[in-house]
Amino acid sequence: DQQVKQNSPSLSVQEGRISILNCDYTNSMFDYFLWYKKYPAEGPTFLISISSIKDKNEDGRFTVFLNKSAKHLSLHIVPSQPGDSAVYFCAASFGNQFYFGTGTSLTVIP
Amino acid sequence: NAGVTQTPKFRVLKTGQSMTLLCAQDMNHEYMYWYRQDPGMGLRLIHYSVGEGTTAKGEVPDGYNVSRLKKQNFLLGLESAAPSQTSVYFCASTLAGGGYNEQFFGPGTRLTVL
């Protein structure tokens, strides 16, 4: 059973606009949440993370929001750039294990 | 500083054959992980290691074995390959445990089992 879900397989956004990627989880024991970015034929690369005791974390154009009561997190990219086009994976950790979502393919249109 | 490397990049096996995938990292990381990525399934943890000489099962360990004889290497073995093991395999490492430690991934190994 999938503990981390990304219900939108794809998203298209105009350059300069905001991209919002969503993620839901079921296990309330998760203590960290992470976002990874993946280009074709490469491994995922870390983007940003958030502790379960926080509700927001920012790093440049990337902001992650966590809503524990709804078991929901989102990644905001502002402004979106064509180089942001990639597959984004949401992940959650508990203990030594990580659980990944199925990914959302983001296309930023110039 | 190569980061995390994986050998081989591609491999085709016949059902019942065996093979070993090699992961190497040069960052002196304690923790190493093996994942598989399948369409519509995301990345799923197969096995992981919290240090040299240790291994532990992840979410989908059946049909795989691992060894961590040296800190920098983590081997994933398939003793008798099955078509269900056709997948892209990713290795990752972290400095230490805990979700706040960034995972560094290798480029992946694409395995096809006929």
Side-chain angles (χ1 to χ4, degrees), chain A residues 24-90:
Chain A
D24 298 295
Y25 63 95
T26 58
N27 190 342
S28 58
M29 298 297 290
F30 288 140
D31 54 3
Y32 272 88
F33 302 90
L34 310 94
W35 285 94
Y36 285 83
K37 178 179 180 179
K38 185 182 180 305
Y39 293 116
E42 293 183 11
T45 55
F46 172 78
L47 201 55
I48 191 170
S49 65
I50 187 168
S51 163
S52 61
I53 63 173
K54 295 188 174 183
D55 55 18
K56 178 182 175 181
N57 188 27
E58 271 184 276
D59 184 2
R61 296 186 296 114
F62 303 92
T63 302
V64 56
F65 295 92
L66 176 62
N67 182 333
K68 284 186 67 176
S69 60
K71 293 191 174 68
H72 177 83
L73 65 155
S74 60
L75 174 68
H76 293 210
I77 306 174
V78 184
S80 300
Q81 299 174 354
D84 295 329
S85 297
V87 176
Y88 289 78
F89 289 98
C90 167

Side-chain angles (χ1 to χ4, degrees), chain A residues 1-3 31-32 34 36 38 41-46 49 87 89 93 95-103, chain B residues 31 33 35 37 40-43 45 48 50 57-59 90 94 97-103 105-108:
Chain A
D1 189 28
Q2 198 83 13
Q3 298 193 51
D31 54 3
Y32 272 88
L34 310 94
Y36 285 83
K38 185 182 180 305
E42 293 183 11
T45 55
F46 172 78
S49 65
V87 176
F89 289 98
S93 76
N96 293 320
Q97 300 206 25
F98 292 82
Y99 297 85
F100 283 76
T102 52
Chain B
Y31 285 54
Y33 310 80
Y35 292 89
Q37 185 192 8
M41 298 295 291
L43 280 80
L45 183 63
Y48 64 98
V50 302
K57 293 180 179 180
E59 191 180 354
F90 289 100
T94 57
Y100 54 87
N101 281 295
E102 175 186 348
Q103 285 191 315
F105 282 84

